[in-house]
């Protein structure tokens, strides 16, 4: 596959995945089309060798795996991990606000979002809606309004002359988008609007009422190639849907020799503590059942994990030419400079010299250069699912990712070549 067609598919995936729910649904479609069988966590599993399976949890996290030809207890597992969530504005449960003739929506800030870029964007709304049918059954469905239905206007500079000297955003006061002008005395119910939308979209006539939702605002500007020579990918949610896409492509492209796993957790941006997050039991529960199909002795998981490796894939901070002093002078990854190895002495990243050596040798086999990132000592280091999963499972782990600018903005920037290059490295990892 050439970079152009790889990136074409990537841009479509990014555009169709405004929320973790949509990302997991789209990954599920890719897996289903490739012949992966979906497993239900509530039923017993009958797993076969050289077979392909996947499991979803909370509609927002996914584990996909190939059982491989070789015995997992003597050959170990090859794991890759990513996360499906991105910082965003999420609707509060009772979100309608009437103020000064406008209908607005109350939002919570999800994760460490850069707030200023959310102003002056054509915003839409997507997520999961949970409902009750006329016969009293509970159900849920995904919704994506697609149209720009909301806007958070900046305050004019004339009303805040000092704004360019640095203005803090009060997330409770200043982030409510405007949806429409609503005369005093008129009412608007978001649930009624969503119900009408669902009825127009599909066979939702059975829905009696909406009981709850998890809806997120997103920028309707499409993911695209930018730059004088189209060298960059500009999109929302590159952190970390870029990694989800390249990792699932790698799993699909891998051969069937080794037992291979991809975990895509939710809730990384808010600390990973949830049933679908990396600090929850999801991955371990799947691995226990996967390994028990071959060896049901009580120490089988331990024996397998000690001969396995996890690539934790998440974006890395590329050097920004306007802010070069924010990087350590010896660790300045560039876009399209190859995969970035992330290292932190305080274990905010899980890489150690053994996993770094392994990853470097993997890249060298393909002639791929790699870079490294270490946070400055006078700045706080971010983290990933890497250290959490390493601590939960006891698995040797390396934190890697693609150099990116503007991480956690509403629109981020990566190189055009890096995604497919890293995909090839991860495929090699699964096959090695
Ligand atoms: Co991330």
């Amino acid at each position: 596959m050439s970079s152009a067609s790889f990136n074409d598919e990537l841009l479509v995936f990014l555009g169709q995945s405004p929320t973790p729910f949509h990302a997991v649904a789209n990954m599920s479609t890719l897996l289903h089309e490739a012949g992966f069988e979906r497993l239900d966590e509530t039923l017993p599993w009958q797993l076969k060798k050289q077979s392909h399976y996947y499991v979803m949890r909370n509609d927002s996290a996914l584990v996909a795996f190939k059982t491989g030809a070789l015995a997992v207890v003597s050959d170990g597992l090859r794991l890759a991990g990513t996360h499906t969530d991105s910082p965003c504005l999420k609707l509060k449960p009772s979100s309608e606000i009437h103020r000064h003739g406008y209908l607005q929506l109350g939002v919570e800030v999800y994760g460490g979002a850069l707030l200023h870029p959310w102003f002056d964007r054509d915003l839409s709304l997507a997520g999961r809606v949970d409902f009750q049918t006329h016969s009293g059954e509970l159900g849920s469905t995904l919704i994506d309004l697609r149209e720009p239905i909301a806007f958070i206007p900046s305050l004019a500079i004339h009303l805040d002359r000092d704004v360019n000297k640095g203005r803090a955003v009060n997330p409770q006061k200043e982030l409510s988008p405007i949806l429409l002008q609503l005369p005093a005395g008129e009412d608007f119910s978001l649930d009624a609007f969503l119900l009408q939308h669902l009825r127009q979209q599909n066979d939702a006539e059975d829905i009696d009422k909406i009981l709850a939702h998890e809806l997120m605002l997103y920028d309707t500007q499409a993911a695209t190639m930018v730059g004088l020579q189209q060298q960059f990918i500009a999109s929302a949610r590159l952190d970390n849907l870029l990694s989800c896409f390249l990792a699932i492509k790698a799993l699909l492209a891998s051969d069937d020799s080794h037992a291979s796993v991809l975990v895509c957790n939710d809730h990384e941006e808010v600390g990973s503590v949830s049933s679908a997050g990396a600090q929850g039991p999801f991955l371990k529960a799947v691995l226990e059942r996967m390994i028990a199909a071959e060896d049901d002795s009580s120490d089988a998981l331990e024996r397998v994990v000690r001969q396995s490796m996890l690539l934790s894939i998440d974006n890395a901070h590329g050097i920004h030419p306007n802010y070069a002093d924010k990087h350590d002078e010896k660790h300045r990854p560039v876009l399209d400079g190859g995969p970035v190895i992330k290292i932190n002495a305080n274990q905010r990243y899980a890489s150690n010299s053994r996993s770094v050596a392994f990853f470097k040798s993997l890249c060298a086999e393909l002639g791929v250069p790699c870079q490294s990132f270490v946070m400055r000592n006078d700045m706080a280091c971010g983290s990933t699912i890497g250290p959490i999963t390493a601590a939960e499972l006891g698995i040797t782990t390396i934190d890697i990712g693609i150099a990116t600018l503007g991480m956690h903005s509403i629109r981020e920037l990566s190189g055009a070549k890096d995604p497919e290059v890293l995909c090839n490295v991860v495929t090699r990892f699964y096959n090695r």
Side-chain angles (χ1 to χ4, degrees):
M1 191 189 290
S2 73
S3 254
S5 63
F6 186 91
N7 287 339
D8 287 347
E9 271 190 65
L10 168 63
L11 297 185
V12 170
F13 177 75
L14 291 164
Q16 291 179 344
S17 305
T19 75
F21 304 115
H22 291 83
V24 164
N26 292 323
M27 285 191 278
S28 156
T29 301
L30 286 172
L31 292 164
H32 178 76
E33 285 172 358
F36 279 63
E37 181 185 334
R38 183 171 170 184
L39 299 169
D40 183 336
E41 285 194 281
T42 66
L43 299 174
W45 295 351
Q46 310 291 337
L47 304 180
K48 298 193 215 66
K49 289 301 281 177
Q50 288 183 283
S51 300
H52 308 163
Y53 304 96
Y54 71 103
V55 195
M56 288 159 60
R57 191 180 276 199
N58 186 44
D59 307 323
S60 66
L62 177 145
V63 178
F65 60 96
K66 293 183 168 181
T67 51
L70 297 164
V72 68
V73 280
S74 54
D75 185 50
L77 286 164
R78 281 107 179 109
L79 286 107
T82 66
H83 65 88
T84 59
D85 58 320
S86 305
C88 66
L89 303 182
K90 194 170 177 182
L91 289 207
K92 290 179 178 173
S94 296
S95 54
E96 302 95 332
I97 303 168
H98 296 155
R99 259 191 317 224
H100 304 287
Y102 292 102
L103 173 79
Q104 298 177 267
L105 294 178
V107 296
E108 279 187 289
V109 179
Y110 177 87
L114 265 175
L115 297 179
H116 283 104
W118 283 84
F119 290 82
D120 310 323
R121 300 283 174 152
D122 307 338
L123 302 173
S124 192
L125 196 61
R128 180 172 66 183
V129 172
D130 284 77
F131 55 80
Q132 184 174 322
T133 66
H134 292 289
S135 55
E137 313 256 295
L138 298 181
S140 71
T141 187
L142 301 193
I143 190 167
D144 180 2
L145 298 183
R146 294 183 172 274
E147 298 295 321
I149 52 105
F151 200 88
I152 311 171
S154 287
L155 181 64
I157 193 165
H158 318 79
L159 305 179
D160 184 5
R161 289 289 183 187
D162 289 333
V163 61
N164 288 331
K165 293 178 186 152
R167 179 172 65 90
V169 175
N170 179 317
Q172 174 68 17
K173 271 189 68 186
E174 299 178 51
L175 290 176
S176 294
I178 291 173
L179 268 73
L180 55 93
Q181 286 189 298
L182 195 64
E186 278 190 32
D187 226 11
F188 178 90
S189 156
L190 182 68
D191 285 357
F193 170 79
L194 295 173
L195 199 50
Q196 185 191 16
H197 180 88
L198 287 172
R199 290 195 170 126
Q200 281 167 358
Q201 292 294 299
N202 51 37
D203 50 351
E205 63 270 8
D206 200 31
I207 301 178
D208 180 26
K209 57 185 168 199
I210 289 171
L211 298 177
H213 53 65
E214 290 189 52
L215 297 172
M216 296 152 197
L217 291 170
Y218 70 93
D219 185 5
T220 55
Q221 186 178 0
T224 188
M225 309 305 296
V226 301
L228 200 55
Q229 297 178 351
Q230 309 270 289
Q231 285 174 315
F232 309 110
I233 300 169
S235 173
R237 302 175 298 280
L238 289 178
D239 173 13
N240 196 14
L241 295 186
L242 180 53
S243 307
C244 289
F245 180 79
L246 72 87
I248 206 155
K249 282 294 192 185
L251 182 67
L252 294 175
S254 67
D255 64 36
D256 279 354
S257 48
H258 307 288
S260 305
V261 180
L262 170 63
V263 57
C264 303
N265 284 116
D266 194 5
H267 301 138
E268 190 272 343
E269 300 291 0
V270 293
S272 293
V273 183
S274 78
S275 82
Q279 205 165 327
F282 184 32
L283 176 61
K284 193 172 185 182
V286 173
L287 294 185
E288 274 171 350
R289 296 172 79 167
M290 179 184 177
I291 291 161
E294 286 186 50
D295 183 336
D296 60 4
S297 50
S298 61
D299 61 357
L301 177 67
E302 287 305 316
R303 286 187 280 132
V304 169
V305 161
R306 293 318 307 152
Q307 49 189 320
S308 301
M309 173 81 81
L310 168 68
L311 301 186
S312 162
I313 314 171
D314 204 342
N315 298 19
H317 297 295
I319 187 160
H320 191 312
N322 299 350
Y323 306 92
D325 60 343
K326 294 290 182 186
H327 275 64
D328 180 89
E329 62 186 331
K330 296 286 284 182
H331 302 91
R332 294 179 162 173
V334 293
L335 305 195
D336 275 348
V340 181
I341 299 168
K342 296 185 267 185
I343 297 158
N344 180 253
N346 299 300
Q347 298 299 304
R348 300 287 291 164
Y349 301 128
S351 313
N352 61 33
S353 63
R354 186 161 295 167
S355 61
V356 170
F358 170 80
F359 188 75
K360 282 184 173 171
S361 74
L362 196 61
C363 288
E365 285 174 10
L366 294 171
V368 168
C370 42
Q371 319 182 72
S372 60
F373 175 81
V374 176
M375 186 56 90
R376 289 177 59 107
N377 288 330
D378 51 5
M379 289 167 62
C381 187
S383 193
T384 70
I385 65 160
I388 295 168
T389 311
E392 289 290 316
L393 285 181
I395 188 169
T396 306
T397 300
I398 182 164
D399 270 298
I400 54 160
I402 283 174
T404 303
L405 298 177
M407 233 192 289
H408 290 200
S409 177
I410 199 167
R411 208 162 167 81
E412 304 165 324
L413 201 70
S414 290
K417 294 184 192 144
D418 275 338
E420 190 175 21
V421 167
L422 183 52
C423 178
N424 292 337
V425 174
V426 179
T427 306
R428 178 76 167 193
F429 165 68
Y430 281 136
N431 292 344
R432 198 171 191 248

